[in-house]
């Protein structure tokens, strides 16, 4: 299947700092990428939909000024958690939709963010 | 509003077939049935999808009933590494994937 990478896989930061997470589709182009968040023992929750070359669409309750999304190319989307706080600690997962295939979404391995 | 219903958990002996059911009685004509699984602390892994015909790939088989109101994912020879949460999702390709609670499959020796 198609491969999606995320970097970093794990990050620990101090409260108040910003953290950038990269999501790349390695062997296909993705017009649309998605960002999810998963808290312990819960299912994945969609945060935002990222379309190449345009502004992201955020789900209700997700602050767009706090979670900055950039999708500048067909293979890269970034999520920046600005002024991170301990409650932002979570597992962040991206996915990319294979526009050239059957619109199947492929997921990255996730990024574990811990804010101290 | 959940579009699929799955059992909370299932057990399977190693080497035996694991049959995971899913009900999706309100599925629309243009929606596919997708299956993903999530092994602990990893991102979801795509398994298989289908519209109305049965499908098979190197990982699993997907059996969809004729009325498309339910389906079964079959792992023919389960291994310990198949222990994961399995998600059945109906998806049109232009909507977003909505994850429910899934089925926790525990494969035991």
């Amino acid at each position: 299947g198609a491969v999606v990478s995320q970097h970093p896989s794990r990050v620990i930061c101090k409260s108040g700092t910003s953290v950038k997470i990269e999501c790349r589709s390695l062997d296909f182009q993705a017009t649309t990428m998605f960002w999810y968040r998963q808290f312990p023992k819960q299912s994945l929750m969609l945060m935002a939909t990222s379309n190449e070359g345009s502004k992201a669409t955020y789900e209700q309750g997700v602050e767009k000024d706090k979670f900055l999304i950039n999708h500048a190319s067909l293979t890269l989307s970034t999520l920046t958690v600005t002024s991170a706080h301990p409650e932002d600690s979570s597992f962040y997962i991206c996915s990319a939709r294979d526009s050239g295939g059957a619109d199947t979404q492929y997921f990255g391995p996730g990024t574990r963010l811990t804010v101290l | 509003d959940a579009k699929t219903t799955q059992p909370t958990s299932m057990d399977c002996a190693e080497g035996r077939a694991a049959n995971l059911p899913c009900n999706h009685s309100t599925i629309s004509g243009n929606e596919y049935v997708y299956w993903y699984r999530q092994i602990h602390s990893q991102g979801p892994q795509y398994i298989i999808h289908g519209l109305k015909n049965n499908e098979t790939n190197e990982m699993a088989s997907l059996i969809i009933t004729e009325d498309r109101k339910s389906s079964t994912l079959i792992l023919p020879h389960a291994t310990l590494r198949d222990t994961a949460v399995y998600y059945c999702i109906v998806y049109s390709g232009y909507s977003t994937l909505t994850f429910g609670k899934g089925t926790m499959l525990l494969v035991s020796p």
Side-chain angles (χ1 to χ4, degrees), chain B residues 14-56:
Chain B
E14 188 179 20
R16 305 297 293 267
N19 298 291
L20 291 89
C22 179
N23 287 323
H24 31 79
S25 58
T26 60
I27 191 170
S28 301
N30 65 340
E31 288 182 317
Y32 289 77
V33 180
Y34 273 77
W35 283 83
Y36 288 84
R37 72 180 182 185
Q38 187 176 26
I39 296 170
H40 184 62
S41 295
Q42 296 182 25
Q45 177 187 22
Y46 165 76
I47 302 173
I48 199 168
H49 74 280
L51 184 63
K52 52 183 178 181
N53 297 322
N54 297 337
E55 302 288 343
T56 295

Side-chain angles (χ1 to χ4, degrees), chain A residues 90-102:
Chain A
S90 188
F91 192 47
Y92 291 87
I93 309 168
C94 73
S95 72
R97 183 158 64 200
D98 185 357
S99 328

Side-chain angles (χ1 to χ4, degrees), chain B residues 2-4 22-28 31-35 68 71 87-93 95-98:
Chain B
K3 299 190 74 172
T4 64
C22 179
N23 287 323
H24 31 79
S25 58
T26 60
I27 191 170
S28 301
E31 288 182 317
Y32 289 77
V33 180
Y34 273 77
W35 283 83
R68 302 214 318 129
S71 61
Y87 296 98
C88 167
I89 304 171
V90 293
Y91 173 60
S92 69
S95 59
T96 57
L97 287 176
T98 301

Side-chain angles (χ1 to χ4, degrees), chain A residues 13-19 66 81-86 88 113 115-116:
Chain A
C13 69
K14 293 182 179 180
S15 186
T17 60
S18 294
V19 175
K66 181 171 183 61
V81 183
T82 62
S83 187
H85 288 96
D88 298 322
L113 171 64
V115 184
L116 303 177

Side-chain angles (χ1 to χ4, degrees), chain A residues 29-102:
Chain A
Q29 293 187 330
T31 306
T32 306
M33 291 184 171
F34 304 86
W35 288 95
Y36 294 79
R37 181 167 52 182
Q38 186 175 33
F39 292 107
K41 298 189 187 303
Q42 295 186 22
S43 192
L44 281 77
M45 293 297 294
L46 180 66
M47 297 175 67
T49 301
S50 166
N51 291 298
E52 187 264 338
S54 64
K55 291 184 178 181
T57 303
Y58 291 81
E59 296 299 300
Q60 192 172 8
V62 178
E63 300 175 56
K64 62 180 173 63
D65 295 329
K66 181 171 183 61
F67 299 99
L68 302 179
I69 292 172
N70 184 276
H71 191 162
S73 79
L74 288 173
T75 59
L76 173 64
S77 177
T78 61
L79 168 69
T80 301
V81 183
T82 62
S83 187
H85 288 96
E87 57 265 30
D88 298 322
S89 297
S90 188
F91 192 47
Y92 291 87
I93 309 168
C94 73
S95 72
R97 183 158 64 200
D98 185 357
S99 328

